[in-house]
Amino acid sequence: MSDLLPDPRSQIAGMIFAVLLIDPRGRIAEVNHAAENLLGTSAARLVGTSLIERIGPIDARVAVRLEQADEALVARDLVISAAGAEVRVNMTVSPLGGFPGWRIVTLSEVGHEDPGHQQGGEAMLSAPAVLAHEIKNPLAAIRGAGQLVARKLPDADKKLARMITDEVDRIARLIDRMQQLGSTRIGPVEPCNPHEAIRSAIATMRAADSERDAIVIREEFDPSLPPVLANRDALEQVLINLVSNARDAALQRGAGAEVVVQTRFVSGLAFSAIRRGRTVPLPIEITVSDNGPGIDPGLRDHVFEPFVSSKPSGQGLGLSLVRKLIGDMNGNVSHDRDVRAGLTNFRLHLPQAPRQS
C-alpha cells in the first residue's frame, strides 16, 4: 500500500457531492464528477459558463449574495435547475483566502439522506414490525371465528361475515408489508441483467392492469449496459412499485398518458454505503418517468417516508419499501420534477457487477 498522499484534485474528484470552482466573474472554472452528474452536463460544457445561468433561476436572496464574491454563504433546501429539472440542494459558498473573487461552491441533494436520517427511519420502521407479530395472532382468531359464524348464519347475513374475513385479510396484507419494511435481512446480490428485470416487472404490472390500453409504456434502454449487482427479486419488486405509481400518475392527465423507463451508464456517481463504511460507485441508472401532474409540493420531501401517500386509498408503504430494498443493495433512489418536459422522474442508481475474469 502506498503512503503517498492523494493530490487535491484527486481528493475533490472522489467527493460524493458536487464541487465547483468559481472565478471572480462568476464563471465555472472547474468541476468534479459529482457536479457533472448533478447538473447533467460534462465538464467541457460547464467550464467557462455562468454559475447562475447553469443553476438558475434561484431564490433572489441567494442570487444577490452570490454576486458578493468575497462572502461566505450557506443556503439550505434551495431549489435549483439542473438540466431542466428542479432539484433541492444544500449549497455552501467558501471564498478562497489569498485569491480575491475566487470561490468554492458545493451542492448536495436534499433527497440524499445523511446516515443519521436513514438510521432514524430504520428505527421508526422497526416498531411497527414488532407490533405486527403481536397483531397477527388475534387476527387469525378473528378470521376463524368469522368463518364459523358464516356457516351458521342465513344466506342473507353471510355477506356480513364475509366482510369480517375480507377486512382481516386486508389488515394481514398490510401487516406483511410493515414486516418487510422492518426486516433487517438483506437478500443475496449477484450479477443480473437490469433490462430483463424491467421487462418482467412491466409484464407483471400489465397482467393485472385493467386499463393497460390507456397508457403507453416506452423503453429507452442502453444496449451496452453491463450487468448490475443486485437481488433480482427485490429489484423486480422495486420496479413494479415505481412503474405502477408512474402509471397511476400518468393516467391522471387522460389522453396521451405515457411512462418511460430509461437505462444508462453514468460514470463517476458514488454513494456512501454507511453499513459497509466505504464508498460504492453507482454507475447503473434506471429512470422511471411519467407525464402526470407531478407530486404535491407539500409531499415531495417526504415521499419515501412510511405512511405518506397522495392516493386516496394509498397506504404509503410502497416507496418506503423501494428505499429499503434499494438501500439493502447498496443503491440509491431519488426523484425530481422536470418542469420543462413535464415529467416526474424516479431514479435508481445501482452498483455494476464485477467483471468476470
Side-chain angles (χ1 to χ4, degrees):
M1 181 181 293
S2 174
D3 292 330
L4 183 65
L5 289 174
D7 61 82
R9 187 183 297 271
S10 298
Q11 295 176 41
I12 293 172
M15 290 182 176
I16 64 174
F17 51 84
V19 180
L20 304 94
L21 176 63
I22 310 300
D23 71 15
R25 285 181 283 184
R27 297 179 308 185
I28 299 171
E30 195 166 346
V31 299
N32 67 348
H33 290 309
E36 292 179 281
N37 291 323
L38 176 64
L39 300 178
T41 309
S42 67
R45 292 183 177 275
L46 289 170
V47 171
T49 63
S50 165
L51 173 66
I52 292 293
E53 290 178 2
R54 282 294 181 183
I55 66 172
I58 59 174
D59 186 290
R61 295 168 297 177
V62 177
V64 169
R65 293 285 300 277
L66 282 175
E67 292 176 0
Q68 301 167 14
D70 293 321
E71 276 200 25
L73 171 65
V74 176
R76 299 198 176 277
D77 204 14
L78 177 69
V79 177
I80 67 170
S81 177
E86 284 188 355
V87 181
R88 305 180 82 87
V89 301
N90 294 325
M91 169 191 281
T92 67
V93 181
S94 306
L96 291 177
F99 297 88
W102 286 84
R103 291 163 288 173
I104 292 288
V105 173
T106 68
L107 301 171
S108 57
E109 287 191 62
V110 172
H112 292 173
E113 295 87 354
D114 57 48
H117 181 82
Q118 288 186 343
Q119 289 168 359
E122 289 174 3
M124 181 171 60
L125 291 172
S126 64
V130 172
L131 286 174
H133 178 73
E134 298 301 321
I135 293 172
K136 288 182 83 172
N137 287 333
L139 276 181
I142 293 170
R143 191 182 194 284
Q147 290 175 323
L148 288 173
V149 169
R151 296 174 189 171
K152 299 179 181 180
L153 289 175
D155 290 342
D157 295 329
K158 286 186 184 295
K159 64 180 181 181
L160 296 175
R162 282 197 297 270
M163 184 185 298
I164 292 173
T165 56
D166 288 346
E167 283 301 296
V168 167
D169 288 342
R170 182 184 66 81
I171 296 170
R173 288 194 296 271
L174 176 59
I175 289 173
D176 286 340
R177 298 188 74 185
M178 290 168 62
Q179 285 181 309
Q180 267 190 295
L181 282 171
S183 171
T184 57
R185 289 177 297 176
I186 300 175
V189 295
E190 57 187 6
C192 69
N193 185 329
H195 298 149
E196 290 179 358
I198 294 169
R199 288 185 171 131
S200 180
I202 292 174
T204 300
M205 193 209 74
R206 281 202 173 282
D209 189 0
S210 59
E211 298 186 68
R212 55 183 171 271
D213 295 330
I215 187 166
V216 173
I217 299 181
R218 188 155 46 88
E219 299 173 355
E220 294 183 358
F221 292 168
D222 177 355
S224 64
L225 202 68
V228 67
L229 187 63
N231 179 282
R232 168 61 190 269
D233 291 340
L235 179 58
E236 192 170 321
Q237 180 62 57
V238 164
L239 292 163
I240 289 172
N241 285 4
L242 292 183
V243 174
S244 179
N245 284 352
R247 169 255 187 215
D248 292 344
L251 284 174
Q252 293 181 43
R253 66 171 288 143
E258 183 178 67
V259 171
V260 179
V261 185
Q262 182 187 60
T263 63
R264 65 171 183 154
F265 189 89
V266 185
S267 62
L269 186 64
F271 168 69
S272 180
I274 301 302
R275 280 192 303 263
R276 303 294 191 277
R278 59 189 174 89
T279 299
V280 180
L282 304 175
I284 309 295
E285 181 181 271
I286 303 173
T287 304
V288 179
S289 307
D290 70 78
N291 60 355
I295 301 169
D296 183 329
L299 297 178
R300 286 179 186 170
D301 294 338
H302 307 283
V303 294
F304 295 112
E305 296 174 10
F307 313 115
V308 173
S309 176
S310 60
K311 300 178 183 179
S313 59
Q315 299 164 349
L317 294 176
L319 289 177
S320 296
L321 182 59
V322 164
R323 183 176 68 173
K324 180 192 182 301
L325 294 176
I326 289 297
D328 286 348
M329 293 184 278
N330 286 334
N332 189 47
V333 58
S334 61
H335 72 90
D336 60 72
R337 177 69 179 172
D338 187 336
V339 178
R340 184 172 55 192
L343 297 174
T344 298
N345 307 305
F346 277 81
R347 304 183 192 278
L348 305 177
H349 291 107
L350 292 161
Q352 178 183 347
R355 291 199 176 115
Q356 299 294 328
S357 58

